[in-house]
Coordinates of all heavy atoms in Angstrom, one line a residue:
M1 N 22.8 48.6 -56.3 CA 23.5 48.9 -55.1 C 23.1 50.3 -54.6 O 23.3 51.2 -55.4 CB 25.0 48.7 -55.2 CG 25.7 49.1 -54.0 SD 27.5 48.8 -54.2 CE 28.0 50.5 -54.6
R2 N 22.6 50.4 -53.4 CA 22.2 51.7 -52.9 C 23.4 52.2 -52.0 O 23.7 51.5 -51.0 CB 20.9 51.6 -52.1 CG 20.2 52.9 -52.0 CD 18.8 52.7 -51.4 NE 18.0 51.7 -52.0 CZ 17.4 51.9 -53.2 NH1 17.5 53.0 -53.8 NH2 16.6 50.9 -53.7
L3 N 24.0 53.3 -52.3 CA 25.1 53.8 -51.5 C 24.8 54.2 -50.1 O 25.6 54.1 -49.2 CB 25.8 54.9 -52.3 CG 26.4 54.5 -53.6 CD1 27.0 55.7 -54.4 CD2 27.4 53.4 -53.5
Q4 N 23.6 54.8 -49.9 CA 23.1 55.2 -48.6 C 21.5 55.3 -48.7 O 21.0 55.3 -49.8 CB 23.7 56.5 -48.2 CG 23.4 57.6 -49.2 CD 24.1 58.9 -48.7 OE1 23.7 59.5 -47.8 NE2 25.1 59.3 -49.5
P5 N 20.9 55.2 -47.5 CA 19.4 55.2 -47.6 C 18.9 56.5 -48.3 O 19.4 57.6 -48.1 CB 19.0 55.3 -46.1 CG 20.2 54.7 -45.4 CD 21.4 55.1 -46.2
G6 N 17.9 56.3 -49.1 CA 17.3 57.4 -49.9 C 18.0 57.7 -51.2 O 17.5 58.5 -52.0
A7 N 19.2 57.1 -51.4 CA 20.0 57.4 -52.6 C 19.4 56.5 -53.7 O 18.8 55.5 -53.5 CB 21.5 57.1 -52.4
P8 N 19.7 56.9 -55.0 CA 19.2 56.1 -56.1 C 19.9 54.7 -56.1 O 21.0 54.6 -55.6 CB 19.6 56.9 -57.4 CG 19.9 58.2 -56.9 CD 20.3 58.1 -55.4
D9 N 19.2 53.7 -56.7 CA 19.9 52.4 -56.8 C 20.6 52.4 -58.2 O 20.1 52.9 -59.2 CB 18.8 51.3 -56.8 CG 19.4 49.9 -56.6 OD1 20.4 49.9 -55.8 OD2 18.9 48.9 -57.1
L10 N 21.9 51.9 -58.1 CA 22.7 51.9 -59.3 C 23.2 50.5 -59.6 O 23.5 49.8 -58.7 CB 23.9 52.8 -59.1 CG 23.7 54.3 -58.8 CD1 25.0 55.0 -58.4 CD2 23.1 55.0 -60.0
A11 N 23.4 50.2 -60.9 CA 24.0 48.9 -61.3 C 24.7 49.1 -62.6 O 24.2 49.9 -63.4 CB 22.9 47.8 -61.4
A12 N 25.7 48.3 -62.8 CA 26.5 48.3 -64.0 C 26.4 46.9 -64.6 O 26.5 45.9 -63.9 CB 27.9 48.7 -63.8
S13 N 26.3 46.8 -65.9 CA 26.3 45.5 -66.6 C 27.7 44.9 -66.5 O 28.7 45.6 -66.4 CB 25.9 45.6 -68.0 OG 26.8 46.4 -68.8
L14 N 27.8 43.6 -66.5 CA 29.1 42.9 -66.4 C 30.1 43.2 -67.5 O 31.3 43.3 -67.3 CB 28.9 41.4 -66.4 CG 28.3 40.8 -65.1 CD1 28.1 39.3 -65.2 CD2 29.2 41.1 -63.9
D15 N 29.5 43.5 -68.7 CA 30.4 43.8 -69.8 C 30.7 45.3 -69.9 O 31.5 45.8 -70.7 CB 29.8 43.4 -71.1 CG 28.5 44.1 -71.5 OD1 28.0 44.9 -70.7 OD2 27.8 43.7 -72.5
G16 N 30.2 46.1 -69.0 CA 30.5 47.5 -68.9 C 29.7 48.4 -70.0 O 30.0 49.5 -70.1
A17 N 28.8 47.7 -70.7 CA 28.1 48.4 -71.8 C 27.0 49.4 -71.3 O 26.7 50.4 -71.9 CB 27.5 47.4 -72.7
Y18 N 26.5 49.1 -70.1 CA 25.4 49.9 -69.5 C 25.5 50.2 -68.0 O 26.1 49.4 -67.3 CB 24.0 49.1 -69.7 CG 23.7 48.7 -71.1 CD1 23.8 47.3 -71.4 CD2 23.4 49.6 -72.1 CE1 23.5 46.9 -72.7 CE2 23.1 49.2 -73.4 CZ 23.1 47.9 -73.7 OH 22.8 47.4 -74.9
V19 N 24.9 51.3 -67.6 CA 24.7 51.7 -66.2 C 23.3 52.0 -66.1 O 22.7 52.7 -67.0 CB 25.6 52.8 -65.8 CG1 25.3 53.3 -64.4 CG2 27.1 52.4 -65.9
V20 N 22.6 51.6 -65.1 CA 21.2 51.9 -64.8 C 21.1 52.6 -63.5 O 21.8 52.3 -62.5 CB 20.3 50.6 -64.9 CG1 20.6 49.7 -63.8 CG2 18.9 51.0 -65.0
C21 N 20.1 53.5 -63.4 CA 19.9 54.3 -62.2 C 18.4 54.3 -62.0 O 17.6 54.6 -62.9 CB 20.4 55.7 -62.4 SG 20.0 56.8 -61.0
A22 N 17.9 53.9 -60.8 CA 16.5 53.9 -60.4 C 16.4 54.9 -59.2 O 16.9 54.7 -58.1 CB 16.1 52.6 -60.0
D23 N 15.8 56.1 -59.5 CA 15.7 57.1 -58.5 C 14.4 57.2 -57.7 O 14.1 58.1 -57.0 CB 16.1 58.5 -59.0 CG 15.1 59.0 -60.0 OD1 14.0 58.4 -60.2 OD2 15.4 60.1 -60.6
G24 N 13.5 56.2 -58.0 CA 12.2 56.2 -57.3 C 11.1 56.7 -58.3 O 10.0 56.3 -58.3
A25 N 11.4 57.7 -59.1 CA 10.4 58.2 -60.1 C 10.6 57.7 -61.5 O 9.7 57.5 -62.2 CB 10.5 59.8 -60.1
R26 N 11.9 57.3 -61.8 CA 12.1 56.8 -63.1 C 13.3 55.9 -63.1 O 14.2 56.0 -62.3 CB 12.2 57.8 -64.2 CG 13.5 58.6 -64.2 CD 13.4 59.8 -65.2 NE 14.8 60.3 -65.3 CZ 15.5 60.2 -66.5 NH1 15.0 59.7 -67.5 NH2 16.7 60.7 -66.5
L27 N 13.4 55.0 -64.1 CA 14.5 54.1 -64.4 C 15.2 54.6 -65.6 O 14.5 54.8 -66.7 CB 13.9 52.7 -64.6 CG 14.9 51.6 -65.0 CD1 15.8 51.3 -63.7 CD2 14.1 50.4 -65.4
A28 N 16.5 54.8 -65.6 CA 17.2 55.4 -66.7 C 18.4 54.5 -67.0 O 19.1 54.1 -66.1 CB 17.7 56.8 -66.5
L29 N 18.6 54.2 -68.3 CA 19.7 53.4 -68.8 C 20.7 54.3 -69.5 O 20.3 55.1 -70.4 CB 19.2 52.3 -69.8 CG 20.2 51.3 -70.3 CD1 20.7 50.4 -69.2 CD2 19.7 50.6 -71.5
Y30 N 22.0 54.2 -69.2 CA 23.0 55.0 -69.7 C 24.1 54.2 -70.4 O 24.4 53.1 -70.0 CB 23.7 55.9 -68.6 CG 22.7 56.8 -68.0 CD1 22.1 56.5 -66.8 CD2 22.5 58.1 -68.5 CE1 21.2 57.3 -66.2 CE2 21.6 59.0 -67.9 CZ 21.0 58.6 -66.7 OH 20.1 59.4 -66.1
S31 N 24.8 54.8 -71.3 CA 26.0 54.3 -71.9 C 27.2 54.9 -71.2 O 27.4 56.2 -71.3 CB 26.1 54.6 -73.4 OG 27.4 54.4 -73.9
P32 N 28.0 54.2 -70.5 CA 29.2 54.8 -69.9 C 30.2 55.4 -70.9 O 30.9 56.3 -70.6 CB 29.8 53.6 -69.1 CG 28.8 52.6 -69.0 CD 27.9 52.8 -70.2
A33 N 30.3 54.8 -72.1 CA 31.2 55.2 -73.1 C 30.9 56.6 -73.6 O 31.8 57.5 -73.7 CB 31.3 54.3 -74.2
T34 N 29.6 56.9 -73.8 CA 29.2 58.2 -74.3 C 28.6 59.1 -73.3 O 28.3 60.3 -73.5 CB 28.2 58.0 -75.5 OG1 27.0 57.4 -75.0 CG2 28.8 57.2 -76.6
R35 N 28.2 58.5 -72.1 CA 27.5 59.3 -71.0 C 26.1 59.7 -71.5 O 25.5 60.6 -70.9 CB 28.3 60.4 -70.5 CG 29.6 60.1 -69.9 CD 30.3 61.2 -69.3 NE 31.6 60.8 -68.8 CZ 32.4 61.6 -68.2 NH1 32.1 62.9 -68.1 NH2 33.6 61.1 -67.7
A36 N 25.6 59.1 -72.5 CA 24.3 59.4 -73.1 C 23.2 58.5 -72.4 O 23.4 57.4 -72.1 CB 24.2 59.2 -74.6
E37 N 22.0 59.1 -72.2 CA 20.9 58.3 -71.7 C 20.3 57.6 -72.9 O 20.0 58.2 -73.9 CB 19.8 59.2 -71.1 CG 18.7 58.5 -70.6 CD 17.6 59.4 -69.9 OE1 18.0 60.0 -68.9 OE2 16.5 59.4 -70.4
L38 N 20.2 56.3 -72.8 CA 19.7 55.5 -73.9 C 18.2 55.3 -73.9 O 17.6 55.2 -74.9 CB 20.4 54.1 -73.9 CG 21.9 54.1 -74.0 CD1 22.5 52.8 -73.8 CD2 22.4 54.8 -75.3
A39 N 17.7 55.2 -72.7 CA 16.2 55.0 -72.5 C 15.8 55.2 -71.1 O 16.7 55.2 -70.2 CB 15.9 53.5 -72.9
S40 N 14.5 55.5 -70.9 CA 14.0 55.7 -69.5 C 12.5 55.3 -69.5 O 11.8 55.4 -70.5 CB 14.2 57.1 -69.0 OG 13.4 58.0 -69.7
V41 N 12.1 54.9 -68.3 CA 10.7 54.5 -68.1 C 10.3 55.0 -66.7 O 11.2 55.1 -65.8 CB 10.4 53.0 -68.2 CG1 10.6 52.5 -69.7 CG2 11.3 52.2 -67.3
P42 N 9.0 55.3 -66.5 CA 8.6 55.7 -65.1 C 8.6 54.5 -64.2 O 8.5 53.3 -64.6 CB 7.2 56.2 -65.3 CG 6.7 55.6 -66.6 CD 7.9 55.3 -67.4
L43 N 8.8 54.8 -62.9 CA 8.8 53.8 -61.8 C 7.6 54.1 -60.8 O 7.3 55.3 -60.7 CB 10.1 53.7 -61.0 CG 11.3 53.0 -61.7 CD1 12.5 53.2 -60.8 CD2 10.9 51.6 -61.9
D44 N 7.2 53.1 -60.1 CA 6.1 53.3 -59.1 C 6.7 53.6 -57.7 O 6.0 53.6 -56.7 CB 5.2 52.0 -59.0 CG 4.5 51.8 -60.3 OD1 4.2 52.8 -61.0 OD2 4.2 50.6 -60.6
G45 N 8.0 53.7 -57.6 CA 8.6 54.0 -56.3 C 10.1 53.5 -56.3 O 10.6 53.1 -57.3
A46 N 10.7 53.6 -55.1 CA 12.1 53.1 -55.0 C 12.2 51.7 -55.5 O 11.3 50.9 -55.2 CB 12.6 53.3 -53.6
A47 N 13.3 51.3 -56.1 CA 13.4 50.0 -56.7 C 14.9 49.5 -56.5 O 15.8 50.2 -56.4 CB 13.1 50.1 -58.2
D48 N 15.0 48.1 -56.5 CA 16.2 47.4 -56.6 C 16.4 47.0 -58.1 O 15.4 46.7 -58.7 CB 16.2 46.2 -55.8 CG 16.3 46.4 -54.3 OD1 16.7 47.6 -53.9 OD2 16.1 45.5 -53.5
V49 N 17.6 47.1 -58.6 CA 17.8 46.8 -60.0 C 19.0 45.8 -60.1 O 19.9 45.9 -59.3 CB 18.1 48.0 -60.9 CG1 16.9 48.9 -60.9 CG2 19.3 48.8 -60.4
A50 N 18.9 45.0 -61.1 CA 20.0 44.0 -61.4 C 20.0 43.6 -62.9 O 18.9 43.4 -63.4 CB 19.9 42.8 -60.5
F51 N 21.2 43.5 -63.5 CA 21.3 43.0 -64.8 C 21.3 41.5 -64.7 O 21.9 40.9 -63.9 CB 22.6 43.5 -65.5 CG 22.6 44.9 -65.9 CD1 23.0 45.9 -65.0 CD2 22.1 45.3 -67.1 CE1 23.0 47.2 -65.3 CE2 22.0 46.6 -67.4 CZ 22.5 47.6 -66.6
V52 N 20.4 40.9 -65.6 CA 20.3 39.4 -65.6 C 20.6 39.0 -67.0 O 19.9 39.2 -68.0 CB 18.9 39.0 -65.2 CG1 18.7 37.5 -65.2 CG2 18.5 39.6 -63.9
G53 N 21.8 38.4 -67.2 CA 22.3 38.0 -68.5 C 22.7 39.3 -69.2 O 22.8 40.3 -68.7
G54 N 23.0 39.1 -70.5 CA 23.5 40.2 -71.3 C 22.4 41.2 -71.8 O 22.8 42.3 -72.3
D55 N 21.2 40.7 -71.8 CA 20.2 41.5 -72.5 C 18.9 41.8 -71.7 O 17.9 42.2 -72.2 CB 19.8 40.9 -73.8 CG 19.2 39.5 -73.6 OD1 19.2 38.9 -72.5 OD2 18.6 39.0 -74.6
R56 N 18.9 41.6 -70.4 CA 17.8 41.8 -69.5 C 18.1 42.5 -68.3 O 19.2 42.5 -67.7 CB 17.1 40.4 -69.1 CG 16.6 39.6 -70.3 CD 15.3 40.2 -70.8 NE 14.7 39.4 -71.7 CZ 14.7 39.6 -73.0 NH1 15.3 40.6 -73.5 NH2 14.1 38.8 -73.9
L57 N 17.1 43.3 -67.8 CA 17.2 44.0 -66.5 C 16.1 43.6 -65.6 O 14.9 43.6 -66.1 CB 17.2 45.5 -66.8 CG 17.3 46.4 -65.6 CD1 18.8 46.4 -65.0 CD2 17.0 47.9 -66.0
L58 N 16.3 43.3 -64.4 CA 15.3 43.0 -63.4 C 15.1 44.1 -62.5 O 16.1 44.7 -62.0 CB 15.7 41.7 -62.6 CG 14.7 41.3 -61.5 CD1 13.4 40.9 -62.0 CD2 15.3 40.2 -60.6
V59 N 13.9 44.5 -62.2 CA 13.6 45.7 -61.3 C 12.6 45.2 -60.3 O 11.5 44.6 -60.7 CB 13.0 46.9 -62.1 CG1 12.6 48.0 -61.2 CG2 14.0 47.4 -63.1
V60 N 12.8 45.4 -59.0 CA 11.9 45.0 -58.0 C 11.5 46.2 -57.3 O 12.3 47.0 -56.7 CB 12.5 44.0 -57.0 CG1 11.6 43.7 -55.9 CG2 13.0 42.7 -57.7
V61 N 10.2 46.5 -57.3 CA 9.6 47.7 -56.6 C 8.8 47.2 -55.4 O 7.6 46.7 -55.6 CB 8.7 48.5 -57.6 CG1 8.2 49.8 -56.9 CG2 9.5 48.9 -58.8
P62 N 9.3 47.3 -54.2 CA 8.5 46.9 -53.0 C 7.4 47.9 -52.7 O 7.6 49.1 -52.8 CB 9.5 46.8 -51.9 CG 10.7 47.6 -52.3 CD 10.6 47.7 -53.8
G63 N 6.2 47.4 -52.3 CA 5.1 48.2 -51.9 C 4.6 47.8 -50.6 O 5.2 47.1 -49.8
D64 N 3.4 48.2 -50.3 CA 2.7 47.9 -49.0 C 2.2 46.4 -49.1 O 1.2 46.2 -49.7 CB 1.5 48.8 -48.7 CG 2.0 50.2 -48.4 OD1 3.1 50.3 -47.9 OD2 1.3 51.2 -48.7
G65 N 3.0 45.5 -48.5 CA 2.5 44.1 -48.5 C 2.7 43.3 -49.8 O 2.3 42.2 -49.9
R66 N 3.3 44.0 -50.8 CA 3.5 43.3 -52.1 C 4.7 43.9 -52.8 O 5.2 45.0 -52.4 CB 2.3 43.5 -53.0 CG 2.0 44.9 -53.4 CD 1.0 45.2 -54.4 NE 0.8 46.5 -54.7 CZ 1.5 47.3 -55.4 NH1 2.6 46.9 -56.0 NH2 1.2 48.6 -55.6
S67 N 5.2 43.2 -53.8 CA 6.3 43.6 -54.6 C 6.0 43.4 -56.0 O 5.5 42.4 -56.4 CB 7.6 42.9 -54.2 OG 8.0 43.2 -52.9
L68 N 6.4 44.4 -56.9 CA 6.3 44.2 -58.3 C 7.6 43.9 -58.9 O 8.6 44.5 -58.6 CB 5.8 45.5 -58.9 CG 4.4 46.0 -58.5 CD1 4.1 47.4 -59.1 CD2 3.3 45.0 -58.9
L69 N 7.7 42.8 -59.7 CA 8.9 42.4 -60.4 C 8.7 42.7 -61.9 O 7.7 42.3 -62.4 CB 9.2 40.9 -60.2 CG 9.8 40.5 -58.9 CD1 8.8 40.7 -57.7 CD2 10.3 39.1 -59.0
H70 N 9.6 43.5 -62.5 CA 9.5 43.8 -63.9 C 10.8 43.4 -64.6 O 11.9 43.6 -64.1 CB 9.3 45.3 -64.1 CG 8.1 45.9 -63.5 ND1 6.8 45.5 -63.8 CD2 8.0 46.8 -62.5 CE1 6.0 46.2 -63.1 NE2 6.6 47.0 -62.3
G71 N 10.6 42.8 -65.8 CA 11.8 42.4 -66.6 C 11.8 43.3 -67.8 O 10.7 43.5 -68.5
Y72 N 12.9 43.9 -68.1 CA 13.0 44.9 -69.3 C 14.1 44.4 -70.2 O 15.1 43.8 -69.8 CB 13.4 46.3 -68.8 CG 12.4 47.0 -68.0 CD1 12.4 46.9 -66.6 CD2 11.4 47.7 -68.6 CE1 11.5 47.6 -65.8 CE2 10.4 48.4 -67.8 CZ 10.5 48.3 -66.4 OH 9.6 48.9 -65.7
A73 N 13.8 44.5 -71.5 CA 14.8 44.2 -72.6 C 15.8 45.4 -72.7 O 15.4 46.6 -72.5 CB 14.1 44.0 -73.9
L74 N 17.0 45.1 -73.0 CA 18.0 46.1 -73.2 C 18.3 46.3 -74.7 O 18.3 45.3 -75.4 CB 19.3 45.8 -72.5 CG 19.2 45.6 -71.0 CD1 20.5 45.1 -70.4 CD2 18.8 46.9 -70.3
P75 N 18.6 47.4 -75.2 CA 18.7 48.7 -74.5 C 17.4 49.5 -74.6 O 17.4 50.7 -74.1 CB 19.8 49.4 -75.3 CG 19.6 49.0 -76.7 CD 19.1 47.5 -76.6
S76 N 16.3 49.0 -75.0 CA 15.1 49.8 -75.2 C 14.3 50.0 -73.9 O 13.5 50.9 -73.9 CB 14.2 49.1 -76.2 OG 13.8 47.9 -75.7
L77 N 14.6 49.2 -72.9 CA 13.8 49.2 -71.6 C 12.3 48.9 -71.9 O 11.4 49.4 -71.3 CB 13.9 50.5 -70.8 CG 15.3 50.7 -70.2 CD1 15.2 52.0 -69.3 CD2 15.7 49.6 -69.3
E78 N 12.1 48.0 -72.9 CA 10.8 47.5 -73.2 C 10.4 46.5 -72.2 O 11.2 45.6 -71.9 CB 10.7 46.9 -74.6 CG 9.4 46.2 -74.9 CD 9.4 45.4 -76.2 OE1 10.5 45.4 -76.9 OE2 8.4 44.7 -76.5
L79 N 9.2 46.7 -71.6 CA 8.7 45.8 -70.5 C 8.4 44.4 -71.2 O 7.6 44.3 -72.1 CB 7.5 46.3 -69.8 CG 6.9 45.5 -68.7 CD1 7.9 45.5 -67.5 CD2 5.6 46.1 -68.2
V80 N 9.1 43.3 -70.7 CA 8.9 42.0 -71.3 C 8.2 41.1 -70.4 O 7.7 40.0 -70.8 CB 10.2 41.4 -71.9 CG1 10.7 42.2 -73.1 CG2 11.2 41.3 -70.8
A81 N 8.2 41.4 -69.1 CA 7.5 40.5 -68.1 C 7.2 41.3 -66.9 O 8.0 42.3 -66.5 CB 8.4 39.3 -67.7
S82 N 6.1 41.0 -66.2 CA 5.8 41.7 -65.0 C 5.1 40.7 -64.1 O 4.3 39.8 -64.5 CB 4.8 42.8 -65.3 OG 4.6 43.6 -64.2
L83 N 5.3 40.7 -62.8 CA 4.8 39.8 -61.8 C 4.6 40.5 -60.5 O 5.4 41.3 -60.1 CB 5.8 38.6 -61.6 CG 5.4 37.5 -60.6 CD1 4.2 36.8 -61.1 CD2 6.6 36.6 -60.5
E84 N 3.5 40.2 -59.8 CA 3.2 40.8 -58.5 C 3.3 39.7 -57.4 O 2.7 38.6 -57.6 CB 1.9 41.5 -58.4 CG 1.6 42.1 -57.1 CD 0.3 42.9 -57.1 OE1 -0.2 43.3 -58.1 OE2 -0.3 43.0 -56.0
L85 N 4.1 39.9 -56.4 CA 4.3 38.9 -55.3 C 3.9 39.5 -54.0 O 4.1 40.7 -53.8 CB 5.7 38.3 -55.3 CG 6.2 37.6 -56.5 CD1 7.7 37.3 -56.4 CD2 5.4 36.3 -56.8
E86 N 3.5 38.6 -53.1 CA 3.2 39.1 -51.7 C 4.5 39.3 -51.0 O 5.5 38.7 -51.2 CB 2.4 38.0 -51.0 CG 1.0 37.9 -51.5 CD 0.1 36.9 -50.6 OE1 0.5 36.7 -49.5 OE2 -0.9 36.5 -51.1
G87 N 4.4 40.3 -50.1 CA 5.6 40.6 -49.2 C 6.5 41.7 -49.9 O 6.4 42.0 -51.1
R88 N 7.3 42.3 -49.1 CA 8.3 43.3 -49.5 C 9.6 42.6 -49.8 O 10.3 42.1 -48.9 CB 8.5 44.4 -48.5 CG 7.2 45.3 -48.4 CD 7.4 46.4 -47.4 NE 8.6 47.2 -47.6 CZ 8.5 48.3 -48.5 NH1 7.4 48.6 -49.1 NH2 9.6 49.0 -48.6
L89 N 9.9 42.5 -51.1 CA 11.1 41.8 -51.5 C 12.2 42.7 -52.0 O 11.9 43.8 -52.4 CB 10.8 40.8 -52.7 CG 9.7 39.8 -52.4 CD1 9.3 39.0 -53.6 CD2 10.1 38.9 -51.2
G90 N 13.4 42.3 -52.0 CA 14.5 43.0 -52.6 C 15.5 42.0 -53.3 O 15.4 40.8 -53.0
I91 N 16.4 42.5 -54.1 CA 17.3 41.7 -54.8 C 18.6 41.6 -53.9 O 19.1 42.6 -53.5 CB 17.7 42.4 -56.1 CG1 16.5 42.5 -57.1 CG2 18.8 41.5 -56.8 CD1 16.7 43.2 -58.3
L92 N 19.0 40.4 -53.6 CA 20.2 40.1 -52.9 C 21.4 40.2 -53.8 O 22.4 40.8 -53.4 CB 20.1 38.8 -52.2 CG 19.2 38.6 -51.0 CD1 19.2 37.2 -50.5 CD2 19.5 39.6 -49.9
C93 N 21.3 39.4 -54.9 CA 22.5 39.4 -55.8 C 22.0 38.9 -57.2 O 20.9 38.3 -57.3 CB 23.6 38.6 -55.3 SG 23.2 36.8 -55.2
A94 N 22.8 39.2 -58.2 CA 22.5 38.7 -59.5 C 23.8 38.2 -60.1 O 24.8 38.9 -60.0 CB 21.9 39.7 -60.4
V95 N 23.8 36.9 -60.6 CA 25.0 36.3 -61.2 C 24.6 35.7 -62.5 O 23.7 34.8 -62.5 CB 25.6 35.3 -60.3 CG1 26.8 34.6 -60.9 CG2 26.0 35.9 -58.9
G96 N 25.2 36.1 -63.6 CA 24.8 35.6 -64.9 C 23.4 35.8 -65.2 O 22.9 36.9 -65.1
G97 N 22.7 34.7 -65.5 CA 21.2 34.8 -65.9 C 20.3 34.6 -64.7 O 19.1 34.4 -64.9
R98 N 20.8 34.6 -63.4 CA 20.0 34.4 -62.3 C 20.1 35.5 -61.3 O 21.1 36.1 -61.1 CB 20.4 33.1 -61.6 CG 20.2 31.9 -62.4 CD 20.8 30.7 -61.7 NE 20.7 29.5 -62.6 CZ 19.9 28.5 -62.5 NH1 19.1 28.5 -61.4 NH2 20.0 27.5 -63.3
A99 N 18.9 35.8 -60.6 CA 18.9 36.8 -59.6 C 18.3 36.1 -58.3 O 17.4 35.3 -58.5 CB 18.1 38.0 -60.0
H100 N 18.8 36.5 -57.2 CA 18.3 35.9 -55.9 C 17.7 37.1 -55.1 O 18.3 38.1 -54.9 CB 19.4 35.2 -55.2 CG 20.0 34.1 -55.9 ND1 19.4 32.9 -56.0 CD2 21.1 34.0 -56.7 CE1 20.1 32.1 -56.8 NE2 21.1 32.8 -57.2
G101 N 16.5 36.9 -54.6 CA 15.8 37.9 -53.8 C 15.4 37.3 -52.5 O 15.4 36.1 -52.2
A102 N 15.0 38.2 -51.6 CA 14.6 37.8 -50.2 C 13.7 38.9 -49.7 O 13.6 40.0 -50.2 CB 15.7 37.5 -49.3
A103 N 13.0 38.5 -48.6 CA 12.2 39.5 -47.9 C 13.1 40.6 -47.4 O 14.2 40.4 -47.1 CB 11.4 38.9 -46.7
E104 N 12.6 41.9 -47.4 CA 13.3 43.0 -47.0 C 13.9 42.9 -45.6 O 14.9 43.5 -45.2 CB 12.5 44.3 -47.0 CG 12.9 45.2 -48.1 CD 12.0 46.5 -48.0 OE1 11.3 46.7 -47.1 OE2 12.2 47.2 -49.0
S105 N 13.3 42.1 -44.7 CA 13.7 41.9 -43.3 C 15.0 41.2 -43.2 O 15.7 41.2 -42.1 CB 12.6 41.2 -42.5 OG 12.4 39.9 -43.0
L106 N 15.5 40.5 -44.2 CA 16.8 39.8 -44.1 C 17.9 40.8 -44.2 O 18.5 41.4 -44.7 CB 16.9 38.8 -45.2 CG 16.1 37.5 -45.0 CD1 16.3 36.6 -46.2 CD2 16.5 36.8 -43.7

């Protein structure tokens, strides 16, 4: 969820175990209990983030005419899947093990 244009994208896991922040340059995973950073990886630009299930994170990075979708394992942020799609996509919502996305124009 982006609080205002240009602000980092933030998401919290359903169980409250993790908070993730995507600031355009990097993706960082935090423990709310300890406030410690658990892992981080570089990003290719501003991104939408969503927790998918209890052990996966979906990241969508829209670009010029294409979008990169990345799946990361938790808590290591190990890249487990990557896909490039045409168009500028964003995450609308994520519920349980599913995420729904749409063109940015929606």
Side-chain angles (χ1 to χ4, degrees):
M1 176 178 94
R2 202 172 310 283
L3 299 176
Q4 56 183 293
D9 198 32
L10 301 169
S13 62
L14 286 175
D15 62 3
Y18 304 111
V19 172
V20 68
C21 177
D23 68 5
R26 74 184 194 117
L27 176 70
L29 184 71
Y30 297 93
S31 165
T34 64
R35 298 184 182 180
E37 182 177 296
L38 303 175
S40 68
V41 294
L43 283 176
D44 295 331
D48 287 344
V49 296
F51 287 92
V52 182
D55 62 348
R56 295 284 187 258
L57 181 69
L58 176 65
V59 177
V60 177
V61 182
D64 292 330
R66 64 171 177 77
S67 295
L68 298 174
L69 283 69
H70 299 300
Y72 293 95
L74 298 175
S76 66
L77 291 183
E78 175 188 353
L79 184 66
V80 294
S82 191
L83 178 66
E84 184 175 334
L85 297 174
E86 289 185 21
R88 291 181 57 86
L89 303 175
I91 298 172
L92 291 177
C93 67
V95 178
R98 297 175 186 250
H100 300 278
E104 245 183 15
S105 59
L106 286 178

